[in-house]
Amino acid sequence: MKKRMLLVANWKMNVVSEKEAVNLFNSIKNVIARNSTIEMIVCPPHMYLNQVAQQVINPHYNIGAQDAFPDESGNRTGETSIAMVKNAGAKYVILGHSERAHLEDRTDVARKVTAVLENEMTAIVCVGEQQRDKNWKKELVQQLRDSFNRVPKKYADQIVIAYEPAWAISSDKKNPATSTQYNEAMEVIKKELQKMFKTLKAVESIRFIYGGSLDDKNIEEYMKNTDVEGFLVGRVAHDPRILMTMFRLIEDDFEKKALAALNL
Ligand code: PGA
């Protein structure tokens, strides 16, 4: 059975009051129709997780945190724990985002991945090279090994891998990876995961999405030329009009592929 497509809206630090967060969620909460094949995951700043989670009534929406500290509680000034984001209503947690790389290394990310999975949430784990130089494949493989070295394969269906090359994220040049570059990265990623989890079945349970300079003008390329299972957006995550267009394009594509599978 085909998995539902994911649309992850990462609000980053771009919402600065509870009122703004709730208003923004209310303006996008009907973008995804109730009978859709898409799931939208809205990721507000920690401060507003709870308030936004309380607005969720459409089953096609879920709330994600942008990070979380792996201990349940303790003497960690300024941190927000996995238990806290879970209790606030998060079902997903974004981990290893390149905008946090100066604050953590992959050992920290690995601890967070394990803690999120053990707490019955889904980990959206970002991986991606700094540059497409001669070492990019090695860099990607190392990130995967470091992030998943302690993860048992029974958790595979709670894992989403977001391929997010750092050079494509939040770039003013709007420079997304091409579908060919995405496919090249997927080949490296899936091969390595299969080695690590030692079964193809586990890899088939993981969902793979793309993020970096996406908008309604460029997602079709991925749907046409790759087997991408969703998108992670930052810059356009606040724009209901663009999200609506993306939603329609994803739905149309899903329908087209379903009809083609039936040979109609
Ligand atoms: P962007 O952000 O869409 O603004 O490039 C994506 C991300 O941060 O994951």
Side-chain angles (χ1 to χ4, degrees):
M1 196 183 75
K2 191 155 181 3
K3 295 172 223 163
R4 283 207 290 175
M5 286 286 276
L6 300 178
L7 190 50
V8 184
N10 180 6
W11 289 358
K12 305 190 178 181
M13 205 177 67
N14 293 316
V15 180
V16 299
S17 72
E18 179 180 326
K19 191 164 168 234
E20 195 186 337
V22 169
N23 286 347
L24 177 56
F25 183 77
N26 284 331
S27 70
I28 63 174
K29 78 173 179 197
N30 295 318
V31 164
I32 308 289
R34 276 175 186 274
N35 57 357
S36 171
T37 48
I38 304 176
E39 175 179 356
M40 187 181 299
I41 301 153
V42 175
C43 304
H46 289 158
M47 287 282 291
Y48 314 123
L49 271 174
N50 195 13
Q51 289 83 352
V52 176
Q54 283 175 32
Q55 312 299 315
V56 177
I57 41 165
N58 180 334
H60 295 289
Y61 285 79
N62 263 313
I63 299 299
Q66 297 176 19
D67 182 54
F69 194 83
D71 294 344
E72 188 165 324
S73 61
N75 301 329
R76 295 285 176 185
T77 305
E79 294 288 359
T80 307
S81 78
I82 284 175
M84 291 175 190
V85 300
K86 185 177 179 181
N87 290 337
K91 300 269 189 290
Y92 289 78
V93 185
I94 298 175
L95 296 172
H97 194 284
S98 59
E99 286 165 3
R100 295 191 54 80
H102 62 294
L103 298 166
E104 61 187 10
D105 61 23
R106 284 278 156 182
T107 317
D108 301 318
V109 176
R111 279 189 65 212
K112 294 177 180 186
V113 172
T114 310
V116 165
L117 300 174
E118 284 173 351
N119 276 277
E120 294 163 356
M121 291 190 283
T122 298
I124 302 173
V125 184
C126 303
V127 293
E129 72 281 1
Q130 285 299 316
Q131 298 295 336
R132 272 271 162 151
D133 54 19
K134 63 178 180 10
N135 287 324
W136 76 271
K137 290 185 183 174
K138 267 197 207 141
E139 193 183 338
L140 206 48
V141 165
Q142 198 56 49
Q143 287 176 359
L144 290 163
R145 287 185 188 160
D146 292 345
S147 308
F148 293 106
N149 64 0
R150 288 186 297 163
V151 175
K153 58 178 177 248
K154 67 174 181 186
Y155 288 124
D157 60 0
Q158 284 167 249
I159 298 170
V160 176
I161 304 252
Y163 172 59
E164 295 217 321
W167 50 266
I169 293 173
S170 305
S171 116
D172 289 332
K173 288 188 232 117
K174 287 208 173 172
N175 186 25
T178 62
S179 53
T180 307
Q181 286 171 318
Y182 176 83
N183 283 334
E184 286 167 356
M186 277 304 127
E187 207 183 310
V188 175
I189 291 171
K190 290 184 181 174
K191 207 164 127 197
E192 185 56 32
L193 288 172
Q194 201 172 323
K195 255 196 238 163
M196 292 175 67
F197 287 118
K198 299 191 178 64
T199 100
L200 180 60
K201 197 159 166 277
V203 180
E204 284 171 351
S205 304
I206 296 173
R207 282 171 292 175
F208 298 91
I209 66 175
Y210 171 72
S213 294
L214 286 169
D215 60 26
D216 51 343
K217 306 275 182 308
N218 56 27
I219 59 166
E220 276 173 297
E221 179 188 347
Y222 301 93
M223 295 187 293
K224 219 159 107 201
N225 304 321
T226 77
D227 50 11
V228 73
E229 293 167 299
F231 300 105
L232 195 162
V233 295
R235 190 191 322 245
V236 303
H238 315 85
D239 190 325
R241 199 186 47 80
I242 294 182
L243 291 173
M244 176 66 91
T245 314
M246 291 176 89
F247 161 67
R248 293 223 175 94
L249 291 169
I250 298 169
E251 282 281 294
D252 287 353
D253 181 75
F254 189 90
E255 217 164 286
K256 235 190 283 161
K257 285 178 183 156
L259 289 175
L262 291 171
N263 268 333
L264 291 174

